[in-house]
């Protein structure tokens, strides 16, 4: 049966139900806007289905198994066996619970949900092609639109995700067995998170990175803590090499790499995971028909209300140029766009964006590094607290890493922080809050922090910057 | 049942502010949709502001005499409950502009923010409040720890702005206003005396410390940041604040305006026939020093609009004025004959329709006099319409109602339309659109006295014709001196577009037609 092309109207059309889109849709509906949310695949987008959430589930499983098997010094002797397919099912259960929750929340808030792929007809209408043959299509006219189509993994020449031994991050999270030997192309945060996870699950992991260190973009003393731990976990890291191809062997596959000087190396593996980054999805919906143009990398430029050049069309999340591809950035942008549609005086004016890497140990960063602060014209002062001096860190048996706070010396305003160590992803939130509030070092240092907790290290780092630390030697 | 805020709407194209002349409602009054709430005088006209809601007036937020920027809340209305749906619909329609205003206000504020490039030390809730109140956070001195901006600081800054808007008398205060327009206006009304004060003197340094936003502001205002007097010294270097740049730019503008006024004062005498009374005080006698040196008359509303327009014209278009005399004896006779005929038809026939006819005929022969210079595209636009403005003296100043498509109208039609519009202008009931779109202006300066004038072009038109009085003068006809009726003509034109010879030929053509008005029958 062919369903005719019936045009319906909506005040706000949101394309994509990831952390940018669904949050925008719910907030808009809360503000009394008639909102329609279009999703072609799964509620929650990459984050909930193929990214943040499933990877964190796997990481938790891997950590548990690994720690249980490596606690002899605490008198715990165990040799856990991981049933990978069972771990995967548990992970899928978590994902289903969350995505189901998103769908329910959308409905409960009165968001109209539409399944299908949107293409712009003009700047006030899209055509939605419903999935599956003969499902027909419909036209939706809108007053405002928020593009929240996210990103997809980048594929590199010689490695086709269609080939069974070649994994994208999404494939890796769906694995029901642990490969004996895994080559990971790319030492960025996704590559390192998955390398660590599979190493802990028992794989023999080799990381091939084109640059000369893992975690590009992070300060070298931060990356060093993670690299040292990765070495302890038996991860073999090769720098200055780019993966050039792979071939079938009798026993698995052979991944070939090339150095800048043209020197070739080969690594035996069972799977090769390519994690070299993500690119925005702006090429599937005929944005030209709406009068929009993406830049040469596919990003859309927006103003601080997240409006594109076509004022009633907004863009949020991974499709937006110049903001990091992070779920929480997408959500914030979605809220700004939705509230602006509702006439609220909002702007994306966040002073700092926190980011977390779930390696071992974790990394949490927010705001400026010392070098950033100098470049921005501040006279930065830095305070640091190693976790070795934290009672709580020692009792968790994870005492690698440190908390570093960067502030303006004259005013004391907190400008940034870098944490590498246990629960860094959680600890960074306090410092993000401090920065947004315009708090000073003294404000952080004078706030009583619970003992014994890891969070005390944040207070100590602030005290250290003031030259008043108790548990470390002041600078 | 909500309490609705009503913002001063954009009452005319490009109008940035209006003077609240009269409130027609008071707190407690019930109002219905479309009921007139207030009368607002904008640059050019008196406009009725209707209510978008049904409800009860809660509070009037502007006083009569206040100059209110477009987008400022002027009244709050408690919306009716029993008619909720209708009210909501009305609200949806009415608040549409309010919403976009909101967005625009906020745009201004946050553009400033983003251009600062650095951190704003204020919590998110305070930043949002600043956007809501239209306060530029960069310009707020924080009272919190280390200068952190607090909610109180933002509210205080917003109130400061409000206070300034409310006071209508002479003002010399200069702080961060809500909009550039508001600031500029304040400065101007603070009188030209400021140009003599310190900030006008340039500092002329080699190096200056300033925030990127301040540098951008200086660029925008067209001032050299090294010339702006330093606010303070930081690390041994002169530091300049955005306020200092504003102040300096303001002083520069005033100095220029003072020069302009001196020039315009002479030239203006020609065009503005209504300048006779009290207004002369504000025009020609700027106070020499601070408050108290003389009566201060606010420079605002129509007066200021005229001033701005004159200044722009005189500084944009190089004026040349061509003078001549026309023997209109025959025209006087013709008009005497036709006057009773016109009266029978209910029309009052003056000389103006004849002049308009003659001018249109001449414009058709010399299309460059009916043109406009598009500087951006470097093109001269030869207008295909003949919309003739007729300057009218009113109590508020000089207004120019426009007779559109005058070439397609008969003599009596021209007479009627012109009389009607001039009357409306005098009563200040003329709509802004009735004063727009002119392609050529005629001004009658003869009514009060004088021979010739040097009228200022009604920019962006390129020419204006001033008529003197028709007087009996001795003329030589066939070798004998006889009394004849003579009219003086003064044509000012934009020398960028029209050369002297062309101006003279145009005037000759007008002259020919007025000397021998029979020829007008052919036109």
């Amino acid at each position: 049966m062919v369903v005719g092309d019936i045009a319906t109207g909506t005040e706000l059309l949101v394309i994509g139900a990831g952390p940018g889109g669904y949050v925008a849709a719910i907030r808009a509906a809360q503000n009394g806007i008639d909102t329609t949310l279009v999703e072609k695949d799964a509620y929650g987008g990459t984050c909930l289905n193929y990214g943040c959430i499933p990877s964190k589930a796997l990481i938790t499983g891997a950590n548990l198994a690994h720690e249980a098997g490596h606690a002899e010094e605490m008198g715990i002797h165990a040799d856990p066996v991981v049933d990978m397919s069972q771990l995967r099912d548990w992970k899928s259960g978590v994902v289903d619970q969350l995505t189901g929750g998103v769908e329910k929340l959308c409905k409960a808030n009165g968001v109209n949900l539409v399944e299908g792929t949107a293409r712009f007809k003009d700047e006030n209408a899209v055509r939605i092609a419903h999935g599956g043959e003969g499902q027909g299509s419909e036209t939706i006219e809108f007053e405002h639109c928020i593009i929240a189509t996210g990103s997809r993994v980048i594929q590199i020449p010689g490695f086709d995700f269609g080939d069974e031994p070649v994994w994208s991050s999404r494939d890796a999270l769906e694995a029901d067995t642990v490969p004996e030997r895994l080559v990971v192309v790319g030492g960025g945060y996704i590559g390192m998170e998955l390398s660590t996870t599979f190493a802990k699950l028992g794989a023999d992991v080799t990381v091939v990175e084109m640059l000369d260190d893992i975690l590009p973009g992070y300060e070298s003393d931060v990356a060093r803590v993670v690299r040292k731990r990765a070495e302890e976990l038996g991860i073999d890291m090769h720098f200055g090499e780019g993966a050039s191809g792979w071939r079938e062997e009798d026993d698995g596959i052979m991944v070939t790499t090339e150095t800048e000087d043209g020197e070739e190396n080969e690594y035996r593996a069972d799977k090769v995971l390519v994690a070299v980054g993500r690119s925005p999805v702006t090429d599937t919906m005929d944005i030209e028909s709406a009068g929009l143009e993406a830049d040469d990398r596919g990003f859309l430029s927006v103003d601080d209300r997240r409006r594109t050049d076509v004022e009633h069309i907004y863009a949020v999340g991974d499709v937006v140029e110049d903001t990091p591809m992070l779920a929480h950035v997408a959500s914030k942008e979605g809220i700004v766009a939705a509230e602006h549609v509702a006439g609220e005086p909002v702007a994306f004016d966040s002073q700092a964006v926190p980011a977390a890497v779930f390696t071992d140990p974790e990394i949490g960063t927010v705001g400026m590094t010392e070098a950033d602060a100098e470049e921005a014209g501040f006279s930065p002062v830095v305070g640091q607290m190693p976790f070795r001096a934290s009672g709580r860190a020692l009792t968790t048996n994870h005492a690698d890493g440190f908390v570093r706070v960067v502030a303006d010396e004259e005013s004391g305003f907190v400008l940034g922080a870098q944490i590498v160590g246990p629960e860094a992803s959680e600890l960074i939130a306090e410092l993000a809050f401090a920065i947004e509030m315009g708090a000073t070092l003294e404000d952080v240092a004078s706030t009583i922090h619970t003992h014994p907790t890891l969070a005390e290290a944040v207070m100590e780092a602030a005290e250290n910057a003031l030259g008043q630390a108790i548990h470390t030697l002041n600078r | 049942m909500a309490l609705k805020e009503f913002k001063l709407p954009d009452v005319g194209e490009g109008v940035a502010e209006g003077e609240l002349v009269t409130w027609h409602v008071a707190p407690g009054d019930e109002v219905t949709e479309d009921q007139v709430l207030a009368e607002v005088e904008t640059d050019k006209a008196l406009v009725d502001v209707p209510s978008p809601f049904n409800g009860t007036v809660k509070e009037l937020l502007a006083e009569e005499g206040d100059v209110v920027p477009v987008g400022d809340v002027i009244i709050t209305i408690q919306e009716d409950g029993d008619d909720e749906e209708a009210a909501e619909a009305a609200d949806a329609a009415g608040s549409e502009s309010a919403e976009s205003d909101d967005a625009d206000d906020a745009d201004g504020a946050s553009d400033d923010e983003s251009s600062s490039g650095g951190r704003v030390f204020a919590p998110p809730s305070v930043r949002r409040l600043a956007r809501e109140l239209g306060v530029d956070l960069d310009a707020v001195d924080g009272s919190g720890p280390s200068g952190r901006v607090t909610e109180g600081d933002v509210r205080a800054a917003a109130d400061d702005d409000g206070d300034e808007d409310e006071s209508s008398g002479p003002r010399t205060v200069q702080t961060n206003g809500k909009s550039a327009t508001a600031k500029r206006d304040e400065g101007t009304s603070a009188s030209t005396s400021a140009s003599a004060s310190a900030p006008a003197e340039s500092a002329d340094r080699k190096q200056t410390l300033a925030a990127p936003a301040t540098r951008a502001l200086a660029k925008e205002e067209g001032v050299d940041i090294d010339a702006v007097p330093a606010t303070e010294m930081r690390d041994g270097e002169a530091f300049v604040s955005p306020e200092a740049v504003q102040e300096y730019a303001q002083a520069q503008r005033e100095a220029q305006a003072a020069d302009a006024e001196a020039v315009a004062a002479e030239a203006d005498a020609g065009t503005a026939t209504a300048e006779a009374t009290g207004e002369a005080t504000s025009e020609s006698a700027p106070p020499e020093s601070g408050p108290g040196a003389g009566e201060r008359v606010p420079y605002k509303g129509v007066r200021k609009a005229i001033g701005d327009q004159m200044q722009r014209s005189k500084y944009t278009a190089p004026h040349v004025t061509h003078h001549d005399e026309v023997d209109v004896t025959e025209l006087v006779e013709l008009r005497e004959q036709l006057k009773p005929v016109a009266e029978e038809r209910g029309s009052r026939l003056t000389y103006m329709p004849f002049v308009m006819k003659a001018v249109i005929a001449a414009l058709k022969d010399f299309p460059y006099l009916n043109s406009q210079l598009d500087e951006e595209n470097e093109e001269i636009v030869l207008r295909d319409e003949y919309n003739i403005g007729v300057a009218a003296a009113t109590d508020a100043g000089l207004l120019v109602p426009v007779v559109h498509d005058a070439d397609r109208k008969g003599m009596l039609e021209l007479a009627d339309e012109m009389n009607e519009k001039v009357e409306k202008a005098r009563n200040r009931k003329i709509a802004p659109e009735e004063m727009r779109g002119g392609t050529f202006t005629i001004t009658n300066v003869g009514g009060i006295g004088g021979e010739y004038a040097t009228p200022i072009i009604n920019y962006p038109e390129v020419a204006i014709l001033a008529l003197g009085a028709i007087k009996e003068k001795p003329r030589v006809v066939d070798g004998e001196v006889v009394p004849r009726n003579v009219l003086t003509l003064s044509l000012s034109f934009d020398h960028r577009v029209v050369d002297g010879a062309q101006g003279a030929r145009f005037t000759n053509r007008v002259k020919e037609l007025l000397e021998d008005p029979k020829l007008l029958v052919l036109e």
Side-chain angles (χ1 to χ4, degrees), chain B residues 342-383:
Chain B
E343 254 162 43
E344 266 170 42
R345 298 208 206 164
S347 296
R348 193 166 56 86
L349 186 64
T350 61
Y351 290 103
M352 191 55 90
F354 295 93
V355 178
M356 288 168 90
K357 278 280 172 202
V359 161
I360 291 163
L363 287 175
K364 285 184 173 165
D365 292 345
F366 300 94
Y368 280 81
L369 276 293
N370 196 52
S371 71
Q372 207 172 308
L373 182 57
D374 181 351
E375 285 179 78
E376 201 172 304
N377 294 312
E378 302 188 331
E379 284 170 341
I380 297 169
V381 186
L382 303 175
R383 301 294 306 274

Side-chain angles (χ1 to χ4, degrees), chain A residues 304-305 307 339-347 349-351 368 378 410-415 435-440, chain B residues 96 99 102-108 110-111 113-114 118-125 127-128 131-132 145-148:
Chain A
D304 61 359
R305 306 307 199 281
R307 280 179 296 197
E339 291 188 346
H340 192 253
V341 168
E344 297 283 317
V346 284
D349 67 346
S350 298
Q351 298 297 311
M368 299 179 184
F378 294 100
E410 194 193 339
S411 64
F413 286 130
V414 179
L415 301 172
I435 292 172
E436 288 295 344
M437 291 301 290
T440 61
Chain B
E96 211 160 49
E99 268 171 29
D102 244 337
D104 290 345
D105 285 351
D107 280 349
S110 79
D111 284 349
E113 249 171 59
S114 53
R119 283 270 285 117
V120 179
F121 295 101
S125 53
R127 298 202 294 271
R128 183 184 167 112
R131 274 196 300 275
E132 204 169 309
S146 300
R148 186 171 77 153

Side-chain angles (χ1 to χ4, degrees), chain B residues 195-374:
Chain B
S195 60
S197 70
E201 275 160 42
S202 79
D204 198 21
R205 285 178 305 273
K206 285 213 172 77
Q207 234 183 339
T208 303
L209 280 182
T214 312
R215 291 184 191 282
L217 177 68
K219 209 169 169 190
E220 194 181 298
E221 296 280 7
V223 304
D224 177 5
I225 196 143
D226 292 329
V228 178
T231 321
E232 58 178 290
M233 297 303 279
R234 284 197 187 170
D235 299 335
E237 293 235 45
F239 177 85
V240 168
S241 69
E243 290 80 12
V245 171
Q246 286 283 15
E247 216 172 298
Y248 182 73
Q250 184 59 48
Q252 294 288 359
R253 269 197 296 273
E254 276 157 12
Q256 274 177 17
D259 291 348
E261 233 169 72
V263 177
E266 297 164 33
D268 224 27
T271 358
T273 53
E275 230 93 291
T277 50
E279 271 148 23
T281 16
S282 71
E283 279 275 326
S284 54
E288 294 297 312
S289 57
E295 188 196 352
R296 289 194 168 208
V297 179
Y299 180 58
K300 60 179 187 176
V302 175
R303 181 69 258 145
K304 185 170 176 304
I306 295 171
D308 289 347
Q309 167 72 359
M310 293 301 168
Q311 185 176 331
R312 184 156 75 118
S313 176
K314 196 76 185 181
Y315 273 72
T316 309
H319 282 55
V320 176
T321 308
H322 178 84
H323 300 289
D324 209 339
E325 278 188 349
V326 202
D327 182 336
V328 290
T329 311
E330 281 181 45
L331 177 64
V332 172
E333 283 164 16
L334 179 64
R335 183 196 165 239
E336 283 307 319
Q337 286 169 25
L338 294 178
K339 214 174 144 187
V341 183
E343 254 162 43
E344 266 170 42
R345 298 208 206 164
S347 296
R348 193 166 56 86
L349 186 64
T350 61
Y351 290 103
M352 191 55 90
F354 295 93
V355 178
M356 288 168 90
K357 278 280 172 202
V359 161
I360 291 163
L363 287 175
K364 285 184 173 165
D365 292 345
F366 300 94
Y368 280 81
L369 276 293
N370 196 52
S371 71
Q372 207 172 308
L373 182 57
D374 181 351

Side-chain angles (χ1 to χ4, degrees), chain A residues 139-293:
Chain A
T139 294
I140 298 181
E141 287 167 3
F142 57 83
E143 281 170 44
H144 303 275
C145 177
I146 297 176
I147 297 173
T149 44
S151 60
R152 60 168 81 90
V153 287
I154 292 176
Q155 199 160 289
I156 55 172
F159 295 88
D160 186 338
F161 291 134
D163 291 326
E164 194 265 332
V166 180
W167 274 358
S168 68
S169 54
R170 182 172 167 173
D171 299 321
L173 297 171
E174 284 296 305
D176 57 4
T177 53
V178 177
E180 214 169 289
R181 297 158 301 181
L182 176 67
V183 168
V184 177
V185 178
Y189 79 93
I190 296 176
M192 288 313 294
E193 282 182 9
L194 289 171
S195 298
T196 311
T197 306
F198 279 93
K200 286 181 177 174
L201 290 170
D204 206 347
V205 179
T206 303
V207 174
V208 181
E209 166 60 47
M210 192 108 76
L211 300 174
D212 56 5
D213 199 355
I214 58 165
L215 300 172
Y218 289 89
E219 288 165 294
S220 61
D221 61 346
V222 172
R224 190 185 311 132
V225 177
V226 175
R227 199 178 63 231
K228 201 171 131 254
R229 177 75 180 126
E231 280 163 4
E232 283 169 18
L233 288 168
I235 298 172
D236 199 10
M237 285 164 282
H238 298 270
F239 299 107
E241 290 179 31
S244 52
W246 66 279
R247 62 175 186 274
E248 298 270 5
E249 295 269 290
D250 294 344
D251 170 28
I253 60 169
M254 185 70 86
V255 178
T256 54
T257 68
E258 225 171 86
T259 65
E260 244 177 61
D261 315 327
E263 187 193 320
E264 290 208 351
N265 286 316
E266 296 192 327
Y267 302 99
R268 274 183 202 289
D270 299 293
K271 299 281 186 222
V272 55
L273 164 64
V274 179
V276 295
R278 304 180 64 83
S279 64
V281 178
T282 48
D283 53 355
T284 58
M285 57 194 145
D286 296 344
I287 54 169
E288 305 75 24
S289 304
L292 288 170
E293 205 182 330

Side-chain angles (χ1 to χ4, degrees), chain A residues 71-91:
Chain A
E72 289 88 357
E73 58 178 329
M74 291 160 76
I76 296 166
H77 302 273
D79 189 8
V81 177
V82 178
D83 180 335
M84 198 59 191
S85 69
Q86 214 176 325
L87 176 56
R88 191 187 65 168
D89 291 346
W90 169 75
K91 175 216 74 181

Side-chain angles (χ1 to χ4, degrees), chain B residues 492-521:
Chain B
S492 288
F493 51 88
D494 184 345
H495 209 333
R496 295 175 306 172
V497 177
V498 178
D499 288 336
Q502 207 178 3
R505 286 195 192 103
F506 171 84
T507 310
N508 288 347
R509 180 76 176 120
V510 173
K511 207 172 134 181
E512 186 182 85
L513 291 163
L514 292 179
E515 266 172 359
D516 189 358
K518 288 194 295 291
L519 295 175
L520 285 174
V521 178

